């Protein structure tokens, strides 16, 4: 996968011109390659002709929103405090996706410094009207609700236009057949909330030219499907029109195992909206917790009608191990939608989300879902001058520390002083962990004195592992460090001869068992075989994201 040139050219041009002395204070660490291999047993199931694998976007790709323009589909996901932000994908069949851009693709657009990795940009919504794409989103703790526009999904995307006076989260746009546009969002209800998690869905008209909300705003759902039941966190609203009905679809009951999708309908866009008696139309909360190959947290869906009249739902869910742990975060799934008595149903009650699904009639039959789903080997030999779209920065980089030009064929990381526990941007290049069973490895030149470099597995600034090497007197010290909450520890270390110039490092994961190995030229040796992988799970680390892995370097002069 190659990054659309604008995103990283903008980053490189802007940051190379302004690169501070701090980024150049130490010699860069050179990485020869990075290899990621996924080996999930569930992905080894036979795939019958005309079928696809779920999730369609494996790894940390939560909160999907989808739109069709003619015969092409476009999808966006949350990226929280990772940069570039809000990935945009394109597909002809809803199954095989390719990245085409990022909405937040300039380092000057949003500043995530000081934010936990699960803050930043939440739950985007993508729509298209009169030749223009619109993405509305919430920059949590960094600006509020905004809209960005583009004439092409490949960009360029406009800088955020802030939606003044629109609070809460999860905004979305609906364009009615009469040309009027409406903005929906989650916010506090009128008056004082009646209980913890009591929220409402608000509606107001929207001017797609001035990009401003206009006129009155009105609560169209108070609390959820049944206020007497005290439903929590009604959010992720979308409106659709079909057969003279307006359908309002929302997520309900939080983003954990109780997560669900519910639907209402009305003859008027302003309501009143009546809930479907068979709600929820998607959930996994009524299944046994100890089931094999559990998929949990299902909800936050969006619907789209294909050109052949079929309807499909994209939604988030998580692949769990040991019942509750999931390191791959919230992923994007696809299922067909059945209409029953003019109500949409994504999955009947009591049914598990299938991992192999019959595809749309228009699905490409000879295409691979890799490297976004299934088992695969993805290797980056750093032969390009721009980073591939799989690579992410933890928060927005303000210095150009990732360099593919000065040493052709290698990734040069100019080490920053920040460690992985910083609330700024560490010199760590991340790619998503997409499998429960995987290996990630890299080869690097041993860094100069005063620098540590290696490979990391990272959930957020408080939960991570780092396998790194540094020069220590007349030898090298290879250390495996862990960070769990406020507790940092060196789990194990090894002394290597100072004559070692090249080193290979590897992380393996199999559910909760993580291993860390090295090769100093004499073959692979395990430093640790059974490190606790639950440290990297969302339910332990908190937040809304999944784990990432990748190369890192840091200066030691701050210690």
């Amino acid at each position: 996968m190659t990054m659309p040139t604008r995103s990283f050219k903008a980053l490189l041009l802007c940051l190379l011109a302004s690169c501070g002395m701090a980024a150049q204070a130490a010699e860069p660490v050179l990485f020869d390659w990075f290899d990621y291999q996924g080996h999930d047993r569930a992905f080894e199931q036979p795939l019958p002709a005309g079928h696809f694998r779920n999730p369609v976007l494996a790894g940390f790709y939560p909160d999907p929103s989808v739109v069709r323009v003619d015969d092409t589909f476009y999808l966006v996901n949350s990226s929280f405090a990772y940069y570039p932000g809000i990935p945009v994908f394109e597909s002809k069949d809803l199954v095989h996706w390719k990245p085409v851009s990022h909405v937040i693709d300039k380092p000057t657009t949003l500043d995530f410094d000081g934010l936990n990795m699960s803050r930043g940009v939440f739950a985007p919504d993508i729509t298209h009207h009169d030749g223009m794409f619109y993405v509305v989103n919430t920059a949590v703790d960094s600006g509020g609700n905004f809209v960005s526009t583009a004439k092409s999904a490949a960009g360029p995307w406009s800088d955020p236009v802030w939606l003044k006076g629109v609070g809460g989260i999860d905004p979305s746009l609906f364009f009615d057949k009469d040309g009027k546009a409406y903005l929906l969002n989650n916010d506090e209800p009128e008056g004082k909330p009646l209980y913890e998690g009591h929220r409402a869905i608000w509606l107001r008209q929207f001017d797609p030219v001035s990009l401003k909300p206009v006129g009155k705003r009105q609560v169209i759902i108070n609390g959820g499907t049944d206020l007497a039941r005290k439903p929590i966190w009604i959010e992720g609203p979308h409106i659709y029109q079909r057969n003279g009905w307006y359908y309002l679809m929302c997520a309900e009951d939080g983003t954990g195992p109780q997560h669900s999708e519910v639907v209402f309908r009305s003859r008027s866009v302003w309501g009143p909206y009546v809930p479907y008696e068979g709600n929820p139309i998607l959930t996994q909360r009524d299944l046994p917790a100890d089931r094999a190959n559990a998929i949990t947290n299902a909800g936050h869906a969006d619907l789209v009608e294909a050109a052949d009249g079929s309807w499909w739902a994209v939604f988030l869910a998580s692949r769990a191990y040991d019942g509750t742990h999931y390191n791959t975060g919230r992923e994007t799934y696809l299922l067909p939608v059945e209409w029953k008595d003019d109500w949409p149903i994504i999955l009947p009650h009591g049914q598990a989300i299938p991992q192999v699904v019959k595809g749309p009639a228009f699905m490409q039959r000879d295409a691979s879902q890799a490297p976004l789903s299934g088992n695969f080997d993805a290797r980056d030999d750093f032969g390009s001058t721009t980073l591939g779209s799989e690579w992410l920065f933890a928060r927005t980089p303000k210095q150009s520390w990732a360099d593919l030009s000065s040493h052709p064929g290698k990734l040069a990381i100019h080490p920053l002083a920040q460690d992985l526990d910083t609330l700024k941007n560490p010199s760590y290049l991340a790619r998503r962990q997409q499998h429960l069973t995987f290996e990630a490895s890299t080869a690097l030149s041993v860094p100069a004195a005063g620098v540590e470099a290696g490979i990391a597995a990272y959930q957020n600034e408080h939960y991570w592992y780092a396998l790194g090497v540094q020069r220590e007197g007349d030898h090298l010290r290879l250390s495996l460090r862990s960070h769990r909450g406020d507790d940092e520890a060196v789990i194990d270390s090894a002394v290597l001869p100072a004559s070692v110039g090249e080193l290979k490092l590897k992380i393996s994961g199999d559910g909760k068992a993580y291993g860390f190995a090295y090769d100093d030229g004499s073959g692979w040796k395990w430093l640790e075989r059974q490190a606790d992988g639950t440290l990297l799970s969302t339910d332990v680390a908190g937040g809304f994201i999944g784990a990432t892995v990748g190369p890192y370097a840091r200066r030691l002069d701050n210690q």
Side-chain angles (χ1 to χ4, degrees):
M1 300 190 296
T2 300
M3 183 65 177
T5 56
R6 180 176 184 265
S7 297
F8 275 97
K9 281 185 177 178
L11 173 64
L12 291 173
L13 289 174
C14 175
L15 297 180
L16 282 174
S18 61
C19 184
M21 292 301 293
Q24 302 296 338
E27 287 295 313
V29 182
L30 303 182
F31 292 82
D32 294 333
W33 47 262
F34 190 91
D35 189 77
Y36 176 91
Q37 299 180 27
H39 308 289
D40 278 358
R41 287 174 284 277
F43 286 153
E44 295 173 355
Q45 298 178 58
L47 193 62
H51 288 63
F52 67 89
R53 297 191 190 281
N54 260 329
V56 291
L57 298 182
F60 154 52
Y61 290 106
D63 306 324
S65 175
V66 65
V67 67
R68 178 175 64 89
V69 182
D70 299 325
D71 64 347
T72 305
F73 301 91
Y74 300 93
L75 183 144
V76 292
N77 296 102
S78 296
S79 51
F80 296 91
Y82 277 103
Y83 175 88
I86 312 180
V88 183
F89 294 91
E90 178 183 282
S91 175
K92 291 291 186 181
D93 63 2
L94 291 167
V95 172
H96 303 93
W97 296 92
K98 66 177 182 179
V100 294
S101 70
H102 286 84
V103 176
I104 307 300
D105 63 357
K106 296 187 293 295
T108 55
T109 301
L110 290 175
D111 186 357
F112 297 143
D113 275 8
L115 301 185
N116 179 279
M117 288 303 299
S118 281
R119 308 307 282 177
V121 285
F122 278 29
D125 168 81
I126 186 169
T127 49
H128 183 269
H129 181 72
D130 280 352
M132 185 70 73
F133 285 94
Y134 299 81
V135 167
V136 288
N137 192 229
T138 311
V140 177
D141 302 330
S142 53
N145 290 301
F146 68 88
V147 58
S148 292
T149 60
K151 292 183 179 179
S152 167
W157 289 89
S158 72
D159 286 341
V161 176
W162 300 104
L163 300 174
K164 296 180 180 179
V166 179
I169 60 172
D170 294 9
S172 70
L173 287 177
F174 167 67
F175 288 91
D176 208 339
K177 291 180 179 179
D178 62 5
K180 291 182 180 179
Y182 298 89
L183 177 71
L184 302 95
N185 67 293
N186 152 297
D187 205 349
E188 292 188 353
E190 296 177 291
K192 184 179 179 180
L194 301 178
Y195 51 86
E196 178 67 23
H198 178 200
R199 291 296 183 270
I201 302 300
W202 293 79
L203 180 73
R204 70 196 82 193
Q205 205 168 329
F206 181 78
D207 183 350
V209 177
S210 68
L211 302 179
K212 295 180 179 179
V214 294
K216 66 175 182 178
R217 70 174 190 142
Q218 177 178 312
V219 170
I220 56 174
I221 292 295
N222 181 19
T225 51
D226 181 2
L227 188 60
R229 190 179 59 84
K230 296 184 178 181
I232 59 172
W233 308 122
I234 190 77
E235 58 192 10
H238 297 283
I239 287 181
Y240 317 93
Q241 202 170 17
R242 181 181 183 272
N243 290 351
W245 290 101
Y246 292 90
Y247 293 90
L248 171 64
M249 196 171 72
C250 304
E252 193 177 77
D253 290 322
T255 58
Q258 297 300 307
H259 202 196
S260 67
E261 195 71 19
V262 296
V263 66
F264 312 76
R265 73 183 183 188
S266 172
R267 291 295 188 183
S268 166
V269 70
W270 291 101
Y273 283 91
V274 176
Y276 174 45
E277 290 184 356
N279 276 322
I281 60 172
L282 169 69
T283 191
Q284 296 287 273
R285 67 189 180 206
D286 48 2
L287 298 178
D290 59 352
R291 64 193 184 278
N293 299 319
I295 298 174
T296 65
N297 306 335
H300 202 105
D302 195 7
L303 304 184
V304 65
E305 183 181 13
D308 66 355
S310 62
W311 284 74
W312 296 83
V314 294
F315 58 93
L316 69 78
S318 304
R319 287 175 292 155
Y321 62 91
D322 290 353
T324 59
H325 300 300
Y326 50 97
N327 295 23
T328 49
R330 294 165 170 83
E331 308 172 294
T332 294
Y333 286 73
L334 175 71
L335 283 178
V337 174
E338 176 189 357
W339 289 90
K340 182 178 180 181
D341 299 326
D342 272 335
W343 289 102
I345 300 172
I346 300 173
L347 195 66
H349 294 185
Q351 286 194 18
I353 295 169
Q355 293 185 304
V356 173
V357 184
K358 185 176 181 180
F362 49 90
M363 187 179 79
Q364 301 174 67
R365 302 303 172 104
D366 56 352
S368 170
Q369 289 180 249
L372 291 169
S373 188
N375 290 329
F376 56 81
D377 181 350
R379 184 182 178 94
D380 193 337
D381 289 310
F382 303 122
S384 177
T385 57
T386 55
L387 287 167
S389 64
E390 70 272 26
W391 293 112
L392 299 168
F393 296 87
R395 303 181 192 84
T396 308
K398 296 182 178 178
Q399 301 179 54
S400 180
W401 52 260
D403 170 18
L404 292 173
S405 300
S406 62
H407 299 76
K410 297 181 185 294
L411 166 68
I413 293 184
H414 299 265
L416 303 178
Q418 288 82 7
D419 201 356
L420 295 172
D421 60 357
T422 184
L423 286 175
K424 295 183 178 180
N425 167 235
S427 41
Y428 162 61
L429 199 58
R431 63 103 67 221
R432 292 166 175 86
Q433 178 186 328
Q434 296 176 270
H435 299 78
L436 280 69
T437 304
F438 76 97
E439 287 186 353
S441 56
T442 191
L444 71 153
S445 299
V446 174
V451 172
E452 177 188 285
I455 189 171
Y458 179 85
Q459 234 287 346
N460 59 44
E461 62 278 1
H462 296 296
Y463 293 85
W464 46 263
Y465 286 106
L467 178 63
V469 64
Q470 59 180 281
R471 298 189 181 274
E472 191 177 84
D474 60 354
H475 60 266
L476 306 179
R477 174 74 63 180
L478 179 69
S479 300
L480 173 61
R481 297 182 296 132
S482 71
H483 205 297
R484 187 183 188 109
D486 295 327
D487 297 327
E488 185 172 356
V490 176
I491 295 177
D492 207 343
S493 65
V495 174
L496 307 178
S499 58
V500 173
E502 301 284 334
L503 197 62
K504 296 178 184 176
L505 302 176
K506 177 168 64 178
I507 299 174
S508 70
D510 187 2
K512 66 180 179 182
Y514 276 59
F516 298 84
Y518 66 97
D519 180 357
D520 59 3
S522 58
W524 286 104
K525 305 176 184 67
W526 289 99
L527 191 63
E528 174 63 46
R529 295 294 298 264
Q530 294 291 325
D532 179 13
T534 65
L535 178 153
L536 301 170
S537 66
T538 306
D539 61 306
V540 170
F544 309 112
I545 59 178
T548 58
V549 292
Y552 80 96
R554 64 172 181 132
R555 296 203 320 269
L556 301 174
D557 55 9
N558 64 324
Q559 296 184 347

